[in-house]
Amino acid sequence: MCGIVGFVGDRPAADVLLNGLRRLEYRGYDSAGLALMGTDGALHVVKQTGKVSALAEKVRKAIPRKEVRAAHVGIAHTRWATHGLPTEANAHPQVSADGKIAVVHNGIIENYAAVRAQLEGRGVVFASQTDTEVLAHLIAAYEHGDLLAAVMEALRRVDGTYGIAVVSTEHPGQVVVARKGSPLVVGVGDGETIVASDVSAIVSMTRNVIYLQDGDVGVVTADGVRLYGLDTSASVERPVASVEWEVGAAEKEGYEHFMLKEIFEQPSSLRNALRGRLEMNRGTAILSGLNLTPRELAGIRRCVIVGCGTSLHAGMVGKYLFEGLADVPTSPEQAAEFRYCNPILAPDDLVIAISQSGETADTLAAVREAVQKGTVVAGLCNVVGSTIARETGRGVYLHAGPEIGVASTKAFTSQVAVLLLLALKMGRGRRLSREEGMTLCREIEGIPGLVEQVLAQNERIAQVAEKYAQVRDAFFIGRGILYPTALEGALKLKEISYIHAEGYQAAELKHGPIALLDESVPVVALLNDIPGKEKTLGNVEECRARKAPVIGIVTAGDEAATAAVADVIEVPRTSSYVAPIVTAVALQIFAYHVARLRGCEIDQPRNLAKSVTVE
Ligand code: M6R
């Protein structure tokens, strides 16, 4: 949603803050700002609409170089607007009226209007429309020589979610941090400490990190962090974890965009998701993080899968996997809807929360609702130590490495692969024989190689994309297990190219949307040679009869399907269970090239943020 960085140490803070912001820019990118602790005892606050590069330029012009080099403490922020337009005034840091306290904040202060009215009643003049500004004024009101105590007092008066970093001219060697609902990580270096919304801003400096937990408040100094509980004010200890990511994992490494890099990483991200999890000679999967005995797993009567966006689409694929391989009735649910529909859950249900970031507020709220109802909840997350991973306490990590592009790619294929492992494991406890399990194991083991074959089509797919790059609308149709992939293909195209794209069940098109088809509206038909293809071919004929050009995702060598469409993107032959993975990769590449040809900001599409931590 927004990105926070804070630093205390010996080197110029501006370098650390701006580098950190660049790595967090995927979290929000409508405006950015920083506050540096000046040697003259005042704060230098610089804010700018647009990208971090524009902020860096403004810092260079606004503060004398000598001052910038001499400032060793500071905080910074990249914003995705929730309250107020993306203007300079609304950018963070937000500053107290006396200019002594600066706050960066990720999250939402829900009672900000009431708090603001109270403060205004006491004569405080507000400079922005943000909810965050109330924190700056509240902290100033409680600051009587102890910044930590003032922050705690202020936080006790607000409702909502926050990850914050605060500096004060009265405490020049400190950054005070707090977390409730929005992630914060402290990186502990040698004589320097960095705090950030996620580890990608930290790994270039240190791999030793402390994940703050909800309710933690702390004082960051060059020597590390001292943490306290907001409720008790008592000191709390959090373990120091070691980050496994390579620094390069969060860099483009020669690719034009993170999205392209992440698409091409899929053979290796899938190998990482599968590593050590296939037990070939027993024809099953090992998923120890689930922490469920074979008996408990066999006792599951129903699965409910919650998620949003791409993760929801993976969950929808999960329904076909769990029902097809394990006979477990499965309902995929949009996480926000799940939370507000008073879900009926039984003790022998398993709720699975899917989230790349592990921080999506709607999915987290669904997890809490399910936990509240006493259900077993497992997380399928990519980010290690994320809130959903911690609160579920059991689950399976994707091990896909950092996904920086706002459009999710490698996380989707790893999510589906992990769901396939889980379906195999549950299936072996029910109706799959050892031989059937072994056959599936071999196919799953071959997935990374199949994805390599799709990636080899990159140039061919780029040619098809060129033909359709300027269309205004597009439809994606798929049947059965390929229907969620049609939704995912449409989501990829719309979010990065801004083409209006809709995914439909192939059979549903004729019940209304077909009215929109003509020669200017392409239909991407998922025609993999799996059961249901013949029927989808019938739907393709209906589209062609309305003059819509059809792009077919076709199994290599399938002449009948090839003959039925205007343009072909080939994918390798697979079973139904693996088809969503290879097809999604082809659709990711197609969307990428369309967006590239339209000159779009592929890694940071307008209006979006990578991690949506507000409901
Ligand atoms: O981090 P999560 O997987 O929970 O994120 C869920 C969605 O916000 C995310 O998948 C979003 O739809 C992506 N932009 C899709 O590319």
Side-chain angles (χ1 to χ4, degrees):
M1 185 103 307
C2 303
I4 289 175
V5 195
F7 178 75
V8 187
D10 260 349
R11 43 179 137 179
D15 293 349
V16 179
L17 298 175
L18 289 166
N19 283 336
L21 284 190
R22 281 185 198 104
R23 292 185 189 277
L24 294 182
E25 204 166 25
Y26 72 93
R27 298 178 67 92
Y29 35 82
D30 61 40
S31 51
L34 57 66
L36 295 174
M37 192 68 69
T39 48
D40 57 355
L43 285 175
H44 298 288
V45 177
V46 183
K47 305 199 273 187
Q48 176 67 42
T49 54
K51 296 287 174 67
V52 173
S53 51
L55 174 69
E57 186 56 25
K58 189 161 177 190
V59 168
R60 206 176 56 75
K61 289 183 182 149
I63 314 175
R65 188 177 149 75
K66 216 170 132 208
E67 258 305 297
V68 174
R69 307 306 297 169
H72 294 160
V73 177
I75 55 175
H77 188 264
T78 177
R79 180 169 186 248
W80 185 83
T82 56
H83 288 68
L85 292 171
T87 60
E88 231 169 79
N90 289 337
H92 299 200
Q94 290 294 319
V95 181
S96 60
D98 60 8
K100 290 184 171 177
I101 289 169
V103 181
V104 291
H105 167 221
N106 181 11
I108 290 185
I109 304 302
E110 285 165 6
N111 62 338
Y112 91 100
V115 179
R116 180 174 175 141
Q118 277 172 14
L119 289 165
E120 283 175 333
R122 286 189 235 147
V124 177
V125 177
F126 276 71
S128 79
Q129 300 160 299
T130 64
D131 52 335
T132 304
E133 193 181 349
V134 301
L135 282 177
H137 297 305
L138 271 181
I139 295 167
Y142 294 115
E143 162 47 334
H144 307 295
D146 183 343
L147 182 61
L148 175 71
V151 171
M152 285 175 141
E153 271 312 301
L155 292 179
R156 289 185 184 120
R157 275 152 185 82
V158 295
D159 302 327
T161 57
Y162 48 79
I164 57 167
V166 184
V167 286
S168 161
T169 53
E170 302 294 316
H171 308 273
Q174 294 182 0
V175 175
V176 172
V177 294
R179 167 194 169 137
K180 183 182 161 204
S182 291
L184 267 189
V185 190
V186 177
V188 186
D190 193 7
E192 58 184 14
T193 312
I194 178 167
V195 51
S197 305
D198 79 49
V199 290
S200 56
I202 294 179
V203 280
S204 65
M205 289 180 55
T206 176
R207 281 155 188 267
N208 298 327
V209 299
I210 297 170
Y211 295 96
L212 265 61
Q213 299 193 11
D214 279 355
D216 287 354
V217 186
V219 182
V220 173
T221 63
D223 298 328
V225 62
R226 279 177 286 120
L227 291 173
Y228 304 86
L230 180 62
D231 288 343
T232 58
S233 301
S235 161
V236 291
E237 290 291 326
R238 300 289 173 218
V240 179
S242 180
V243 180
E244 286 168 20
W245 291 359
E246 294 304 319
V247 177
E251 287 168 1
K252 284 192 209 155
E253 293 179 326
Y255 284 91
E256 202 179 337
H257 297 98
F258 278 111
M259 182 180 177
L260 189 62
K261 177 190 170 220
E262 287 157 10
I263 290 172
F264 272 83
E265 273 173 356
Q266 287 175 105
S268 91
S269 55
L270 283 160
R271 282 190 186 100
N272 290 340
L274 300 175
R275 182 165 297 121
R277 289 174 170 167
L278 280 171
E279 202 174 356
M280 302 299 280
N281 55 1
R282 287 180 53 220
T284 188
I286 307 168
L287 298 170
S288 39
L290 274 182
N291 215 2
L292 291 170
T293 64
R295 179 186 286 268
E296 286 168 331
L297 216 49
I300 290 165
R301 287 269 159 279
R302 186 175 73 120
C303 280
V304 177
I305 306 182
V306 295
C308 302
T310 291
S311 296
L312 173 61
H313 296 156
M316 292 170 76
V317 176
K319 172 184 169 68
Y320 293 90
L321 301 177
F322 290 4
E323 294 183 351
L325 290 165
D327 291 340
V328 178
T330 301
S331 328
E333 305 276 352
Q334 204 282 338
E337 296 298 323
F338 171 84
R339 187 205 176 180
Y340 289 110
C341 73
N342 190 22
I344 297 161
L345 295 170
D348 47 9
D349 285 348
L350 172 66
V351 172
I352 299 172
I354 306 184
S355 174
Q356 186 285 129
S357 61
E359 302 293 346
T360 299
D362 288 328
T363 311
L364 180 58
V367 165
R368 289 178 176 159
E369 181 63 24
V371 168
Q372 177 68 29
K373 287 194 182 291
T375 320
V376 177
V377 188
L380 253 62
C381 298
N382 190 34
V383 177
V384 176
S386 56
T387 310
I388 292 173
R390 280 192 291 100
E391 292 205 10
T392 49
R394 66 174 82 222
V396 188
Y397 278 121
L398 305 179
H399 297 311
E403 191 180 67
I404 307 290
V406 165
S408 189
T409 51
K410 61 179 178 172
F412 176 78
T413 48
S414 291
Q415 287 162 347
V416 174
V418 166
L419 288 166
L420 187 49
L421 292 176
L422 183 50
L424 166 65
K425 193 171 175 61
M426 289 199 295
R428 286 286 285 123
R430 291 172 162 82
R431 70 174 180 76
L432 288 184
S433 69
R434 178 165 169 261
E435 281 63 36
E436 287 168 323
M438 286 166 74
T439 304
L440 194 53
C441 277
R442 280 192 292 275
E443 193 181 9
I444 295 173
E445 198 183 27
I447 290 173
L450 295 170
V451 168
E452 273 161 7
Q453 292 177 39
V454 183
L455 296 176
Q457 304 288 314
N458 180 37
E459 280 179 23
R460 161 78 194 135
I461 299 174
Q463 285 166 6
V464 178
E466 196 151 359
K467 208 166 147 187
Y468 296 97
Q470 302 311 329
V471 300
R472 225 185 57 183
D473 309 281
F475 283 88
F476 287 68
I477 57 170
R479 180 178 289 273
I481 196 166
L482 288 175
Y483 164 56
T485 310
L487 293 178
E488 177 58 11
L491 176 60
K492 287 292 87 85
L493 187 67
K494 75 181 109 183
E495 70 181 333
I496 62 167
S497 75
Y498 316 139
I499 290 173
H500 164 237
E502 289 190 52
Y504 269 96
Q505 295 99 337
E508 181 65 14
L509 210 63
K510 61 182 171 293
H511 295 287
I514 201 165
L516 298 171
L517 296 189
D518 62 24
E519 58 280 359
S520 69
V521 182
V523 176
V524 180
L526 310 191
L527 287 166
N528 310 50
D529 194 10
I530 59 173
K533 179 193 83 173
E534 299 302 332
K535 297 262 183 233
T536 309
L537 275 172
N539 304 125
V540 163
E541 290 310 319
E542 293 154 12
C543 299
R544 289 177 65 187
R546 274 81 191 171
K547 299 203 177 79
V550 179
I551 305 162
I553 307 296
V554 164
T555 300
D558 184 342
E559 288 175 11
T562 301
V565 297
D567 286 285
V568 166
I569 294 173
E570 284 190 346
V571 291
R573 182 168 295 282
T574 66
S575 74
S576 300
Y577 300 118
V578 171
I581 295 181
V582 293
T583 309
V585 176
L587 297 179
Q588 293 163 0
I589 299 174
F590 176 71
Y592 172 81
H593 286 297
V594 169
R596 177 182 59 77
L597 291 161
R598 290 166 72 95
C600 297
E601 287 244 30
I602 292 180
D603 285 333
Q604 296 171 346
R606 69 184 181 208
N607 303 342
L608 295 183
K610 180 69 179 164
S611 166
V612 184
T613 55
V614 289
E615 284 188 54

